[in-house]
């Protein structure tokens, strides 16, 4: 080691020791033990990473504060380090990664929190300025008449932004924001979908119950002459529901035949193929900059073109472009006893926070906005939680939690509570819910989930408790989904769905949308004391059961729904045939063993898994002003007991939940006013 390196090393040690003593002595009114065991490190946008991190000489970055916290905790045991984050903006250029090495031992604790009365923001975007009105005649000629003289342009290369990503690549899609509002990448039609003509691929697909002709290859007619203009574009992408309205995907256009009016898509083609009259929209089209809020990035020039919202001066507004493209902003790897509290994270191409392994980590009272992918991911560990947060404007899902051991039924004890997740699944339109649970033993309580094209919750596993959540305005676009959705695994058991409110869930196209959907063999779920308000469409009701058994739907209020409960009967032959497939055999005897003592003692109905196909119990529910009571129960296979269909007498759903009204019809109380988030600082 050189003399310079040795001097530098010992210099750092001396500085850190001095910092430790200074910071530890900063607790003026704390007890002697607190003085010894608690240290506070301060950071500020106006700080300096050469400072000692005291209140009067704060650090500048979270990364430097983390390094200092590591030194302190590795020198002590049973200690707490508080990283106090001052008011202001903190641009991130790389992820801040906490690991088990940052703790010394599991008795230590780190709290990263906003300073008193501060609103710190960690951002992955850059501000754009020096906008000029587009005057290039050749480009103006490509634009619709309504856009001319309204398009502004700025040079990204001039300010050092050189990574332009890809318009449809998850985790690497730049997005534009104006005063915190997501702007739309130029598209047509501006809202919704266009309908294709006939598919022209040579390989015809086998027929399905949809009775739609389809082809393997991505060639199909377009019916609007406007799309001829797209032939001059360099990179054209299409988003769409290519065959099934529950499976969306983006595809690149390889050729546009303006004579035959055919769009040719590049391989690989969509997994399910393409059908006549499919739904799609065009994306990344300069010639479609035709409404306020749309933008386009020319990756060759490094210039961004934008049609500002009405009344917005681009050079006075806060206009930002997401540039941060690491998978996460903050990572906790095998960490224990870490709390992140009161911070805002925003505007990254990827996701916000990743927690893997460890135990007792808590994300509390934080705000996560405008992420290209997800909000928070938890993978493994024990007793991790998300509490009192706001998670919104997401390209993919809100919170993804995995944990517990399904083989032994050991719970993870993860939880999500008092949190708002809204405007999610904006880019990937299906299977990216507000909450995804995978594993065993987790709780989702007192949250509010709303505004999405598809499901709010997807559950894959055992012993989940879903309670006191307010879920509305989801499954607005996709088909054959539920606000809560489970699918195709009869070993998923012990799921309790109680005292939730499901409202205004009426999307879907061919099959429909439901409040709670138990799809393809999902069995043994308890649905108790819920409020289903204006739920169900087409063939679905508030609750939809497809081929499952041993489910109990009890003491729920169905108010102005398409139907209370709807069934899709499989029959004994299909049930037994499916149980004997290699896929299901693996799920029930290899992934877990439903014959084990753990499973049979906890879920005794598994002893009879091959008996009583389609038999579910629906009892003591109140059905108020619903279009139908039950649908598709022609064989009478379901057990229906004491369900009452009544008139609302002009009462609202809330008024129908009073103890007096419910007791009149033999129902136990449904705690309407206990539903939804409590003590969430972000509720507007």
């Amino acid at each position: 080691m050189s003399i310079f390196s040795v001097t530098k090393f010992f210099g750092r040690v001396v500085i850190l020791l001095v910092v430790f003593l200074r910071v530890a002595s900063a607790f003026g009114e704390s007890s002697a033990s607190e003085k010894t065991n608690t240290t506070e490190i301060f950071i500020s946008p106006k700080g300096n990473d050469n400072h000692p991190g005291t209140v009067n000489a704060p650090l500048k970055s979270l990364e430097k504060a983390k390094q200092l916290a590591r030194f302190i905790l590795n020198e002590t045991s049973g200690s707490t380090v508080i990283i106090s984050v001052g008011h202001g903006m903190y641009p991130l250029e790389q992820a801040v990664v906490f690991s088990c090495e940052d703790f010394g031992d599991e008795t230590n604790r780190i709290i990263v929190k906003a300073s008193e009365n501060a609103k710190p923001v960690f951002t992955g975007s850059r501000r754009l300025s020096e906008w000029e009105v587009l005057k290039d005649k050749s480009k103006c000629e490509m634009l619709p008449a309504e856009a001319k003289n309204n398009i502004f342009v700025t040079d990204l290369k001039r300010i050092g932004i050189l990574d332009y990503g890809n318009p449809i690549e998850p985790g690497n899609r730049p997005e534009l924001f104006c005063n915190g509002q997501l702007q739309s990448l130029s598209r047509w039609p501006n809202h919704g979908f266009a309908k294709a003509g006939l598919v022209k691929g040579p390989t015809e697909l086998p027929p399905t119950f949809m009775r739609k002709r389809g082809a393997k290859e991505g060639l199909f007619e377009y019916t609007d002459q406007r799309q001829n203009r797209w032939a001059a574009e360099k990179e054209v992408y299409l988003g769409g529901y290519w065959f099934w309205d529950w499976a969306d995907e983006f595809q690149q256009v390889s050729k546009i035949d303006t004579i035959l009016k055919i769009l040719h898509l590049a391989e690989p083609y969509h997994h399910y193929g393409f059908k006549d009259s499919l739904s799609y929209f065009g994306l990344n089209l300069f010639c479609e900059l035709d409404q306020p809020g749309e933008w386009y990035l020319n990756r060759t020039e490094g210039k961004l073109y934008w049609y500002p919202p009405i009344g917005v001066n681009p050079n006075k507004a806060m206009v930002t472009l997401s540039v941060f493209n690491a998978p996460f902003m903050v990572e906790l790897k095998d960490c224990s006893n870490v709390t992140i509290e009161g911070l805002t994270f925003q505007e990254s191409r990827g996701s916000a926070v990743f927690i893997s392994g460890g135990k007792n980590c808590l994300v509390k009272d934080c705000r996560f906005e405008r992420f290209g992918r997800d909000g928070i991911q938890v993978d493994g560990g024990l007793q991790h939680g998300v509490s009192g947060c706001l998670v919104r404007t997401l390209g993919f899902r809100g919170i993804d939690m995995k944990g517990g051991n399904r083989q032994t039924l050991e719970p993870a004890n993860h939880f999500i509570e008092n949190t708002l997740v809204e405007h999610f699944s904006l880019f990937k339109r299906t299977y990216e819910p507000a909450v995804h649970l995978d594993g065993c033993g987790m709780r989702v309580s007192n949250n509010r989930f709303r505004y999405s094209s598809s499901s709010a919750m997807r559950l894959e596993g055992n012993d989940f408790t879903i309670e006191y959540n307010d879920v509305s305005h989801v499954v607005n676009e996709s088909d054959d989904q539920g606000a809560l959705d489970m699918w195709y695994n009869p070993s998923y058991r012990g799921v309790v769905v109680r005292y939730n409110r499901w409202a205004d869930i009426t999307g879907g196209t061919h099959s429909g949308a439901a409040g709670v959907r138990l799809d393809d063999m999902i069995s043994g779920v308890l649905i108790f004391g819920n409020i289903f308000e204006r739920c169900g469409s087409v063939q679905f009701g508030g609750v939809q059961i497809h081929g499952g058994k041993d489910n109990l739907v009890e003491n729920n209020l169905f108010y102005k729904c398409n139907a209370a409960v709807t069934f899709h009967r499989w029959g004994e032959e299909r049930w037994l045939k499916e149980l004997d497939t290699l896929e299901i055999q693996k799920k029930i005897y290899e992934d877990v063993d439903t014959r084990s003592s753990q499973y049979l003692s906890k879920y005794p109905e598994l002893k009879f898994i091959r008996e009583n196909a389609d038999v579910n119990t629906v009892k003591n529910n109140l059905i108020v002003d619903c279009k139908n009571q039950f649908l598709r129960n022609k064989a009478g296979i379901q057990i229906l007991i004491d369900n009452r269909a009544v008139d609302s007498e002009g009462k609202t759903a809330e008024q129908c939940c009073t103890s007096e009204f419910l007791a009149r019809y033999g129902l136990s109380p449904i705690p309407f006013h206990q539903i939804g988030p409590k003590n969430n600082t972000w509720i507007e």
Side-chain angles (χ1 to χ4, degrees):
M1 183 181 290
S2 67
I3 294 175
F4 174 78
S5 298
V6 172
T7 303
K8 185 177 181 181
F9 172 76
F10 282 107
R12 284 182 174 175
V13 171
V14 171
I15 289 173
L16 291 176
L17 286 170
V18 171
V19 169
F20 174 72
L21 293 172
R22 289 183 62 190
V23 176
S25 66
F27 286 78
E29 296 183 0
S30 56
S31 68
S33 62
E34 288 175 325
K35 290 180 182 179
T36 303
N37 296 323
T38 303
T39 302
E40 190 162 11
I41 300 169
F42 295 86
I43 69 173
S44 166
K46 297 179 181 179
N48 188 308
D49 280 345
N50 293 320
H51 284 170
T54 60
V55 64
N56 294 318
L59 298 168
K60 186 177 180 65
S61 70
L62 180 57
E63 175 65 34
K64 204 68 177 180
K66 183 206 75 171
Q67 294 174 14
L68 179 53
R70 171 188 286 192
F71 173 82
I72 294 168
L73 293 175
N74 276 278
E75 293 297 314
T76 58
S77 182
S79 296
T80 296
V81 170
I82 300 172
I83 298 176
S84 187
V85 186
H87 186 80
M89 300 289 290
Y90 296 83
L92 284 180
E93 295 183 358
Q94 61 183 16
V96 180
V97 181
F98 292 82
S99 70
C100 56
E101 299 174 356
D102 297 318
F103 291 86
D105 61 59
E106 286 191 358
T107 67
N108 293 328
R109 185 182 183 197
I110 291 181
I111 302 172
V112 185
K113 70 178 187 67
S115 300
E116 187 175 358
N117 299 321
K119 295 181 179 180
V121 177
F122 291 88
T123 183
S125 63
R126 289 274 304 276
R127 185 171 185 177
L128 306 185
S129 58
E130 298 189 26
W131 294 91
E132 297 179 351
V133 175
L134 177 63
K135 296 180 179 178
D136 186 318
K137 290 185 178 180
S138 62
K139 286 186 168 56
C140 288
E141 288 174 356
M142 296 176 63
L143 296 170
E146 59 267 31
K148 292 176 182 177
N149 301 318
N150 288 313
I151 304 301
F152 286 75
V153 60
T154 190
D155 191 334
L156 300 183
K157 288 183 178 179
R158 175 183 49 77
I159 59 173
I161 297 177
L162 303 176
D163 181 359
Y164 307 130
N166 180 290
I168 64 166
E169 181 182 345
N172 197 25
R173 299 180 301 110
E175 293 184 299
L176 187 71
F177 311 97
C178 175
N179 297 329
Q181 296 298 311
L182 176 66
Q183 305 295 282
S184 299
L185 185 59
S186 53
R187 55 165 285 171
W188 182 89
N190 290 326
H191 305 284
F193 298 85
K195 286 291 185 182
L198 300 177
V199 293
K200 295 294 184 178
T203 309
E204 190 164 327
L205 294 173
T208 71
F209 69 87
M210 289 282 288
R211 298 179 181 177
K212 285 284 187 178
R213 192 179 69 91
K216 177 181 177 181
E217 298 82 9
L219 290 78
F220 57 87
E221 296 175 329
Y222 61 90
T223 60
D224 194 308
Q225 292 287 113
R226 180 186 185 113
Q227 292 168 77
N228 290 343
R229 302 160 58 209
W230 298 2
E233 296 280 346
K234 294 181 179 179
E235 281 187 290
V236 179
Y237 298 92
L238 303 182
Y241 293 94
W242 303 113
F243 196 95
W244 302 104
D245 288 352
W246 41 260
D248 70 311
E249 191 172 71
F250 284 91
Q251 304 256 224
Q252 186 167 6
V253 174
S254 62
K255 176 183 175 182
I256 300 176
D257 187 331
T258 58
I259 304 300
L260 297 177
K261 303 293 187 292
I262 294 177
L263 290 166
H264 295 246
L265 302 183
E267 296 187 57
Y269 298 128
H270 182 56
H271 174 71
Y272 293 111
F274 304 81
K275 69 179 179 182
D276 292 341
S277 304
L278 57 82
S279 301
Y280 73 100
F281 62 90
L283 190 71
N284 195 51
L285 297 159
F286 178 80
C287 66
E288 296 294 355
L289 276 173
D290 64 346
Q291 73 165 355
E294 285 194 320
W295 65 283
Y296 172 84
L297 174 55
N298 186 310
R299 288 168 168 77
T300 303
E301 299 175 342
K303 292 184 178 180
L304 192 147
Y305 299 84
W306 180 40
Y307 192 152
I310 295 172
V312 169
N313 182 332
N315 289 308
K316 293 183 179 180
M318 175 61 76
V319 187
T320 53
L321 183 74
S322 59
V323 296
F324 188 88
N325 64 357
F328 303 94
M329 284 186 161
V330 175
E331 299 185 38
L332 309 180
K333 294 185 174 181
D334 296 314
C335 293
S336 297
N337 309 318
V338 178
T339 298
I340 301 174
E341 182 177 352
L343 308 180
T344 291
F345 298 86
Q346 67 180 37
E347 299 179 2
S348 165
R349 298 181 188 180
S351 303
V353 173
F354 181 59
I355 302 171
S356 60
K359 63 182 180 181
N360 296 321
C361 291
L362 176 64
V363 181
K364 179 182 179 184
D365 299 338
C366 291
R367 182 176 64 180
F368 303 92
E369 293 189 289
R370 305 186 291 279
F371 281 83
R373 284 199 66 103
D374 306 335
I376 303 166
Q377 292 186 19
V378 177
D379 190 356
L382 295 170
Q383 299 167 10
H384 298 316
V386 177
S387 179
C389 293
L390 169 62
V391 188
R392 68 182 176 191
T393 316
L394 307 158
F396 284 68
R397 62 188 59 175
I399 303 168
D400 193 316
M401 276 191 167
K402 299 181 176 68
N405 188 327
R406 292 192 59 238
Q407 292 184 335
T408 63
L409 297 178
E410 179 184 0
N413 291 321
H414 298 333
F415 62 89
I416 303 167
E417 63 184 16
N418 298 313
T419 288
L420 317 178
V421 185
E422 55 191 31
H423 299 292
F424 51 93
S425 197
L426 295 176
F427 177 74
K428 181 67 173 68
R429 309 293 295 177
T430 53
Y431 303 108
E432 302 298 338
V435 167
H436 173 245
L437 301 184
D438 186 347
C440 182
M442 305 184 213
R443 173 175 58 86
V444 180
S445 59
N446 290 104
N447 304 286
R448 186 176 75 194
F449 308 136
R450 59 183 183 176
Y451 307 138
S452 179
S453 55
S454 194
S455 300
M457 282 182 271
R458 188 163 188 86
L459 309 185
E460 300 183 75
N462 298 65
D463 300 342
F464 300 140
T465 300
I466 312 299
E467 60 185 1
Y468 301 105
N469 300 287
D470 187 354
V471 184
S472 68
H473 300 93
V474 295
V475 201
N476 292 332
E477 179 181 283
S478 61
D479 187 45
D480 207 20
Q481 306 285 302
L484 183 153
D485 214 88
M486 298 179 67
W487 178 73
Y488 199 51
N489 193 327
S491 70
Y492 293 164
R493 301 274 167 156
V495 174
V496 176
V497 182
R498 64 188 178 198
Y499 303 132
N500 305 280
R501 176 175 175 261
W502 315 86
D504 297 297
I505 300 162
T506 57
T509 53
H510 179 269
S511 295
V516 174
R517 181 159 198 240
L518 310 180
D519 191 13
D520 286 0
M521 306 185 80
I522 294 298
S523 303
V525 175
L526 171 62
I527 302 171
F528 184 91
N530 297 270
I531 303 160
F532 294 91
E533 184 177 354
R534 295 181 299 278
C535 288
S537 64
V538 196
Q539 302 176 48
F540 289 1
V543 174
Q544 156 71 4
I545 300 173
H546 184 201
K549 62 193 284 288
D550 304 326
N551 298 296
L552 174 58
V553 182
E554 182 179 9
N555 203 84
N556 302 281
L557 169 66
F558 295 93
Y559 180 87
K560 296 184 183 295
C561 293
N562 181 49
V565 186
T566 53
F567 311 95
H568 189 143
R569 183 173 179 266
W570 272 23
E572 182 179 0
E573 182 180 354
R574 182 179 176 185
W575 175 262
L576 293 176
K577 182 179 179 180
E578 204 71 29
L579 275 180
D580 292 334
T581 62
L582 291 177
E583 184 174 0
I584 293 298
Q585 290 280 300
K586 180 179 183 299
K587 289 182 176 183
I588 65 177
Y589 297 136
E590 295 181 29
D591 296 346
V592 302
D593 187 355
T594 57
R595 300 164 299 190
S596 68
S597 59
Q598 293 100 322
Y599 268 73
L600 291 177
S601 62
K602 195 161 193 178
Y603 318 121
E605 70 274 12
L606 282 170
K607 296 176 184 177
F608 311 101
I609 192 171
R610 301 185 68 83
E611 302 175 19
N612 301 318
D614 295 306
V615 178
N616 303 280
T617 302
V618 180
K619 70 177 185 178
N620 204 38
N621 298 283
L622 187 59
I623 304 168
V624 180
D625 289 358
C626 291
K627 183 178 178 182
N628 305 278
Q629 293 184 47
F630 307 104
L631 289 176
R632 305 183 75 168
N633 190 35
K634 293 179 181 178
I637 199 73
Q638 314 301 329
I639 300 173
L640 308 178
I641 304 172
D642 293 334
N643 301 288
R644 297 167 179 84
V646 304
D647 187 275
S648 66
E649 303 171 3
K651 291 180 171 62
T652 64
E654 179 179 355
Q655 291 167 336
C656 289
C657 282
T658 62
S659 297
E660 295 79 10
F661 191 84
L662 293 173
R664 187 192 307 176
Y665 301 102
L667 272 70
S668 60
I670 297 176
F672 187 94
H673 295 289
Q674 294 180 35
I675 295 172
K678 310 299 178 186
N679 302 316
N680 186 298
T681 60
W682 305 106
I683 292 180
E684 298 172 349

